[in-house]
Amino acid sequence: MKWLLKSGQFGKACHLFDAMPVRDVVTWNSMISGYASCGYFSHALELFVEMQGTGVRPSGFTFSILMSLVSSPSHAKQIHSRMIRSGVDLDNVVLGNSLITMYGRLGLVEYSFGVIMTMKQFDVISWNSLIWACHRAGHHELALEQFYWMRGAEFLPDQFTCSVLMSVCSNLRDLDKGKQVFAFCFKMGFVYNSIVSSAAIDLFSKCNRLEDSVRLFKEQDQWDSALCNSMISSYARHYLGEDTLQLFVLTLRKNIRPTEYMVSSLLSSVSIFLPVEVGNQIHSLVPKLGFESDAVVANSLVHMYAKFGFINDALNIFNEMKIKDLVSWNTIMMGLTYYGRVSLTMDLFRELLTREGMLPDRITLTAVLLACNYGLLVDEGIEIFSSMEMEFRVKPGEEHYACVVEMLCKAGKLKEAIDIIETMPYRTTSDIWRSIFSACAIYGDLQIIEGVAKKIMDMESLISLPYLVLAQAYQMRGRWDSMVRMRKAAENRGSKEFIGHSWIGIKNNVYTFASNQLQHYGGKDLYLVLNLLVWEMETEGYV
C-alpha cells in the first residue's frame, strides 16, 4: 500500500485498504498520511475518527500527522488532550516540537511556551520552533529574546534559525541586528544556503537597501525558486515593474518552475505599473502551472483586475474560488467599493457574516465604511461603526474614523462629524479636519469655518488652504477687509506645492505626466491628441 501511495495510485491504495480484513496502526497511519499528502485533510481527520472507532490505539506518528493538518485552535486543543488521554509519551522531543509548531502556526504562542516548559529535554529544533512561533504571531522582539536564551543555553543556531531571525529583523526594519545575523551566517558558512540568502535579500530590500539585495542575488552561483521569489518580490516592493518582469522571464528560461508566491508578487507589480496585457499573459499561465485553486494567486488576480477597473473579471474569479479566506473577501469588497458598486459590497458583507460565519477585520470594515461613505448610507454606516468593538471585536482605527467623518460631512452633518473627531482616542491630524473644511465651504457656517481653520492653522502653519477658504467665506459675506487680510496671509505662507503624477501606457511605452509637463519623448504628439479630445468634449457640452 505504501508503494501505491508513493507512486500516486491513490485509488488503488484506497481499494486495497478497504479490502484488508485486519488493519494495524501502521496501516492506518499510512492511509492517513496518504490522504494528507494528497491534500484531503478533512478525509484524513475522518479516517482518524474511524480508526479510533475500531479500537486501534494511535501512535505518536499518528498524532504528528494530525498536528500538521490542524486549522483551528479548538481542534489543536482536542488533539493535544487526546494525546494525553492516549498515554502517548509526551517527553518525546519530536512530539513536543510538533506541538510547539502546531500552536505557533495557529498564533497560540502562550501554548507553545506551555509545551516547551513541560518538556524534560529539547533540542535546536525546539528552540527554532519557539522562535518561529513568536515570529509567526508577530511577537518579533519576543522571538529575538528566545534566540538570546537559546545562545545562553549553549545551543548552536542552524541555518533555519538564521533565516527566521533575518525575517524577524526584516519585519522590525532593524538593519543593524539583521547585519549581525548576516555576519554570523558568514562565520558559520550559512550564507551559501539559498533559504538564508533569500531571507537576507528580503531583509535588505525591506530596509531600503535594494542595491545590497541585487548584489547578493548576483553573487549566487545557482538560482532556485526561493532566491528568485525573494528578488522578484523585492523588485515589486520597490515598484520596479520592468525589472520584476525581466527576472521572471529569466527564471522561466532557466527552467525554474514558478511558485505561487512568485506569481502573486508579479501580479502585484502588474497592478501597480505594468499594462493589463501583461497581467492577462500571467493569468494565462496560472492554469498551466496548476495554481487556479491557490487562494494567494486568486486573490492577486482579483486585486489586479479590480485595480485596472475590470471589476466583472475580478468578480468572476472571486465567485469561482473554491476556498475563500478573509483576504479574498476584503480584496473584492475593496475593489467593488472603489468602483462605486456600493450595494454589492454591502450584500457581500452581509453574506460574509451570515453564510460564511467569518468575523470581519480592520480592512473589511474599512471597505464597508468606505462603501457607506460613497453611497451616503449614513444610518447604516453609523450603526456598523458603533458596533465595531462590541460585535466584531475590532477597535476603530484612524481610517475608520476618517470614513465616518467624511460620510457625515457629505451629508451636511458637520456638528456630528466634529463631535466624533473630538472623541477620537487618537491624535487628530490636519487631514481629518480638511474633510470638515471642504464641507464648510459647501454648507457655509462661518463659525464652524473659523473654528476648523484655526485648528488646521495650528497644525500646519505653512499651509495656505485655510486662509483661502476663509477669504472666500468673508467675500461671500461682504467682509472685504477680512478677505484682503486672509489673501495676503495665504500669499505669505510660501507652502510647497506637491506635484501629482499620471501615467499613460501605449504599447510598450509608459508616458509620465508631472506638473503639466510630459517627461518622455513624444510628449508633443500626446498633447495634440489630448487637446483634440478636450475640444470634442467642449463641442458636446461636457466641459
Side-chain angles (χ1 to χ4, degrees):
M1 191 171 67
K2 284 184 178 179
W3 179 82
L4 290 173
L5 289 169
K6 286 182 178 179
S7 60
Q9 301 182 54
F10 191 70
K12 290 182 179 180
C14 290
H15 182 73
L16 178 62
F17 177 78
D18 292 335
M20 292 176 70
V22 179
R23 291 172 285 198
D24 59 9
V25 67
V26 176
T27 310
W28 284 97
N29 285 348
S30 298
M31 205 62 207
I32 292 170
S33 177
Y35 271 123
S37 62
C38 292
Y40 302 122
F41 303 137
S42 59
H43 289 81
L45 293 172
E46 288 170 7
L47 202 63
F48 171 67
V49 174
E50 185 183 340
M51 171 187 173
Q52 290 179 299
T54 61
V56 177
R57 190 175 180 179
S59 65
F61 181 67
T62 317
F63 287 113
S64 68
I65 299 168
L66 294 173
M67 282 187 279
S68 66
L69 306 178
V70 173
S71 59
S72 72
S74 59
H75 286 162
K77 294 171 187 175
Q78 287 172 23
I79 288 173
H80 193 176
S81 62
R82 179 62 185 163
M83 290 171 67
I84 296 170
R85 290 197 303 271
S86 298
V88 174
D89 182 15
L90 293 178
D91 290 333
N92 183 294
V93 177
V94 175
L95 285 180
N97 294 344
S98 298
L99 280 168
I100 295 169
T101 303
M102 176 186 71
Y103 284 127
R105 192 175 66 251
L106 298 171
L108 302 173
V109 181
E110 63 277 13
Y111 284 86
S112 294
F113 274 99
V115 171
I116 201 169
M117 288 174 69
T118 60
M119 292 170 65
K120 292 182 180 178
Q121 57 179 349
F122 35 83
D123 55 13
V124 174
I125 297 174
S126 310
W127 284 107
N128 287 348
S129 301
L130 189 62
I131 292 169
W132 177 84
C134 296
H135 166 57
R136 167 97 179 197
H139 304 304
H140 306 303
E141 294 288 356
L142 189 60
L144 289 175
E145 188 178 323
Q146 300 318 302
F147 171 66
Y148 300 141
W149 281 105
M150 176 185 182
R151 296 292 289 137
E154 297 184 351
F155 281 89
L156 191 64
D158 61 9
Q159 295 169 346
F160 182 80
T161 321
C162 293
S163 65
V164 174
L165 285 173
M166 276 193 281
S167 296
V168 168
C169 295
S170 297
N171 288 320
L172 289 172
R173 303 297 191 268
D174 193 329
L175 185 60
D176 291 334
K177 282 192 175 71
K179 283 182 174 179
Q180 292 174 25
V181 176
F182 192 58
F184 177 80
C185 291
F186 258 110
K187 181 180 177 182
M188 299 297 295
F190 296 160
V191 76
Y192 301 107
N193 178 276
S194 68
I195 302 299
V196 173
S197 297
S198 301
I201 289 169
D202 279 330
L203 166 72
F204 293 132
S205 170
K206 288 180 180 177
C207 294
N208 292 321
R209 296 290 294 271
L210 182 64
E211 64 279 7
D212 291 334
S213 297
V214 174
R215 187 180 302 112
L216 180 59
F217 180 74
K218 288 181 176 178
E219 288 173 356
Q220 302 301 312
D221 294 330
Q222 192 169 356
W223 291 1
D224 62 8
S225 59
L227 284 167
C228 294
N229 276 344
S230 295
M231 199 62 240
I232 285 174
S233 64
S234 296
Y235 279 136
R237 189 178 296 118
H238 288 267
Y239 308 114
L240 298 172
E242 292 290 343
D243 295 290
T244 307
L245 186 59
Q246 286 175 11
L247 181 54
F248 179 71
V249 172
L250 285 173
T251 302
L252 295 177
R253 288 176 181 171
K254 287 182 177 289
N255 293 321
I256 297 172
R257 191 176 188 274
T259 64
E260 296 90 337
Y261 182 73
M262 190 186 297
V263 173
S264 176
S265 297
L266 193 60
L267 289 168
S268 300
S269 181
V270 169
S271 63
I272 294 170
F273 202 70
L274 294 173
V276 69
E277 290 79 12
V278 177
N280 291 334
Q281 292 173 13
I282 299 166
H283 188 182
S284 67
L285 279 175
V286 170
K288 294 178 182 177
L289 295 167
F291 295 161
E292 60 268 33
S293 60
D294 184 80
V296 175
V297 174
N299 291 341
S300 298
L301 284 168
V302 171
H303 176 72
M304 180 194 74
Y305 282 120
K307 274 274 190 180
F308 280 112
F310 297 105
I311 202 67
N312 290 330
D313 293 316
L315 266 173
N316 289 337
I317 294 169
F318 175 79
N319 291 330
E320 289 171 3
M321 291 173 68
K322 294 178 182 178
I323 299 174
K324 302 182 181 80
D325 57 12
L326 192 56
V327 176
S328 313
W329 290 88
N330 289 349
T331 304
I332 191 63
M333 288 169 64
M334 195 66 81
L336 289 167
T337 297
Y338 278 124
Y339 283 91
R341 305 282 284 273
V342 171
S343 59
L344 187 52
T345 303
M346 303 307 294
D347 289 343
L348 284 176
F349 178 61
R350 285 185 280 269
E351 183 182 345
L352 175 70
L353 298 179
T354 56
R355 203 174 81 183
E356 299 294 328
M358 289 186 191
L359 275 178
D361 62 4
R362 295 172 66 93
I363 300 172
T364 321
L365 293 166
T366 301
V368 173
L369 289 174
L370 274 172
C372 293
N373 178 11
Y374 294 162
L376 272 184
L377 306 174
V378 179
D379 294 337
E380 200 164 352
I382 292 296
E383 183 182 348
I384 292 169
F385 178 74
S386 303
S387 61
M388 278 178 63
E389 200 159 3
M390 184 72 70
E391 188 173 349
F392 306 126
R393 299 198 293 274
V394 176
K395 185 179 179 181
E398 294 179 58
E399 66 275 23
H400 304 114
Y401 277 97
C403 288
V404 172
V405 167
E406 188 175 342
M407 178 180 67
L408 290 171
C409 289
K410 285 181 180 178
K413 299 184 177 184
L414 302 184
K415 181 67 170 63
E416 292 90 334
I418 292 172
D419 290 341
I420 285 180
I421 291 177
E422 290 178 344
T423 58
M424 274 178 63
Y426 307 100
R427 186 180 67 85
T428 56
T429 62
S430 61
D431 289 336
I432 201 164
W433 282 109
R434 288 186 193 185
S435 299
I436 304 281
F437 214 38
S438 300
C440 289
I442 299 171
Y443 296 102
D445 189 319
L446 184 60
Q447 187 176 357
I448 295 179
I449 291 176
E450 291 176 331
V452 175
K454 186 177 184 308
K455 290 182 181 294
I456 297 176
M457 290 173 188
D458 292 340
M459 293 177 185
E460 294 186 73
S461 58
L462 294 178
I463 193 170
S464 59
L465 176 66
Y467 298 95
L468 293 173
V469 174
L470 278 173
Q472 184 182 13
Y474 291 139
Q475 181 182 357
M476 291 172 64
R477 290 161 179 80
R479 294 174 55 174
W480 309 112
D481 290 344
S482 300
M483 181 202 75
V484 172
R485 191 172 68 254
M486 289 299 106
R487 287 196 180 279
K488 286 184 177 179
E491 290 173 2
N492 294 331
R493 290 305 95 189
S495 60
K496 184 180 179 181
E497 180 185 358
F498 288 94
I499 299 172
H501 289 78
S502 300
W503 293 273
I504 294 178
I506 301 175
K507 293 184 178 179
N508 295 324
N509 294 318
V510 177
Y511 302 93
T512 305
F513 291 87
S515 184
N516 294 327
Q517 183 176 4
L518 193 62
Q519 297 178 341
H520 202 288
Y521 176 76
K524 183 179 178 182
D525 294 336
L526 274 178
Y527 271 117
L528 288 173
V529 175
L530 287 173
N531 288 332
L532 180 62
L533 287 172
V534 171
W535 177 77
E536 288 184 356
M537 291 168 68
E538 289 175 344
T539 304
E540 295 293 329
Y542 290 110
V543 179

